[in-house]
Amino acid sequence: MPRFAVLVLVLVLATAVGACSGDDPDIATVGDAVIRLSDVQSLYETNQPVDDAFRQALFIRIAVAAVDQALAAEYGTAVDPAAIESYYTQFQDLMVAQEATPAELLQVENASLRMIYLNAEISAARDTAMEALVVDPDIIEALFADPADVTTVCAKHILVATQEEATEVFARLQAGEDFAAVAAEVSLDTQAEGGDLGCNVAGDFVEPFAEAALAAPLGELYGPVETNYGFHVVVVSERTAATRAEYDADPWEVLSSTQASKIWQDWITAVVEAADVWIAEAYGTWAGNDILAPGEEVPTTTAGG
């Protein structure tokens, strides 16, 4: 899995070890920031060989440095150390509650991790950056360009495997059978009790369902709608579009957690991919969203696949 995928879900940061001896060479730079061998080795109880786990840890070090620099350059802000400590404490509590070691949570094989901030600095950075990102005019313009991103829909559905089954469900409901009873009997979505999905931003649904949620006449049966999950018979009971004035007054009342996560992920992806990175040849090659092993070539794509 590309290391950026790991970064979005789990970011590791340990206290850096400052050393300048010949045994502690500079192995990477990010802008003006220098990453030494000890900065990566400090993640482990013993010296780690230069393998995929090592490159993953190096990638995370690079990403954290890139984010720190971007926050300062774009927003004139730095991450509050107290916020990092707060997130670290939450991680420690999570470990205790789950009786899990850091290595188990990170799914890093053959590595005994000694000092770990799980998502600590990046979580704190997210809090800092998001306050600026949600009022960025370009982001707001893109958000309001798609009605699915600013429209809340209250809906229920019945999910089945085939179009034939969906057509049969539609007919049963048209004939007057109770929606919740039919959902309990046949729907593959066992998490939605009686088929009720509650009220959500339309854009949080997969695209065909989101389009249906915006198009369906209120209170009427709609479908079948095909998604990668199967075929849905849908009823939308309520639909409300946020206004720009409402967003300007309080963006967090309009944004869903999914949308906020996407804004953050898009920003951090752009930051990491645009970072000015050098890596010593023995440790790999920077590929924008990954570190390739020495000798490994950057994957290429061809037209049509």
Side-chain angles (χ1 to χ4, degrees):
M1 172 169 39
R3 268 159 281 279
F4 182 76
V6 177
L7 171 69
V8 170
L9 298 175
V10 179
L11 272 161
V12 183
L13 180 66
T15 302
V17 177
C20 300
S21 71
D23 294 332
D24 191 20
D26 298 350
I27 63 173
T29 60
V30 187
D32 295 332
V34 176
I35 297 172
R36 295 190 173 93
L37 180 61
S38 62
D39 295 330
V40 177
Q41 289 178 333
S42 66
L43 293 168
Y44 308 96
E45 291 178 354
T46 58
N47 287 351
Q48 180 73 10
V50 181
D51 58 7
D52 193 63
F54 183 99
R55 284 184 290 274
Q56 175 178 306
L58 176 57
F59 178 86
I60 291 165
R61 286 283 192 187
I62 289 170
V64 167
V67 167
D68 283 344
Q69 292 172 12
L71 285 174
E74 295 183 26
Y75 305 116
T77 59
V79 178
D80 182 359
I84 300 174
E85 185 62 28
S86 174
Y87 279 106
Y88 183 43
T89 300
Q90 293 175 35
F91 171 54
Q92 289 177 309
D93 293 343
L94 175 66
M95 287 176 56
V96 171
Q98 296 188 354
E99 298 181 348
T101 67
E104 287 170 339
L105 287 180
L106 292 168
Q107 298 180 351
V108 177
E109 297 180 359
N110 304 318
S112 179
L113 305 185
R114 176 170 56 88
M115 296 178 65
I116 297 177
Y117 284 125
L118 174 67
N119 216 17
E121 181 157 344
I122 291 298
S123 294
R126 182 185 191 276
D127 292 346
T128 302
M130 284 300 294
E131 292 302 324
L133 289 170
V134 298
V135 295
D136 184 292
D138 291 338
I139 289 175
I140 297 173
E141 183 178 348
L143 190 71
F144 276 85
D146 185 351
D149 287 337
V150 291
T151 303
T152 297
V153 294
C154 303
K156 57 186 178 181
H157 78 144
I158 295 174
L159 172 64
V160 291
T162 67
Q163 186 168 2
E164 290 74 19
E165 290 175 285
T167 300
E168 181 180 344
V169 164
F170 199 99
R172 289 175 62 180
L173 296 172
Q174 276 190 319
E177 290 194 48
D178 180 69
F179 194 101
V182 176
E185 178 188 340
V186 303
S187 184
L188 299 175
D189 183 359
T190 58
Q191 301 301 309
E193 185 174 352
D196 187 13
L197 293 168
C199 300
N200 303 276
V201 173
D204 287 356
F205 294 112
V206 294
E207 187 171 345
F209 195 98
E211 292 174 354
L214 294 175
L218 294 181
E220 298 182 17
L221 290 172
Y222 190 83
V225 177
E226 183 179 6
T227 71
N228 56 318
Y229 295 103
F231 292 83
H232 310 252
V233 176
V234 183
V235 175
V236 176
S237 58
E238 187 177 341
R239 189 163 45 232
T240 306
T243 66
R244 178 64 184 268
E246 289 171 334
Y247 184 93
D248 291 342
D250 188 352
W252 299 108
E253 282 295 314
V254 175
L255 288 170
S256 69
S257 59
T258 300
Q259 290 171 315
S261 294
K262 184 178 184 303
I263 290 171
W264 168 243
Q265 290 176 18
D266 287 348
W267 182 79
I268 198 173
T269 299
V271 164
V272 173
E273 291 186 345
D276 179 16
V277 176
W278 165 84
I279 297 177
E281 186 176 351
Y283 298 92
T285 302
W286 180 248
N289 64 353
D290 201 357
I291 297 177
L292 305 180
E296 184 179 356
E297 294 185 0
V298 178
T300 58
T301 58
T302 58

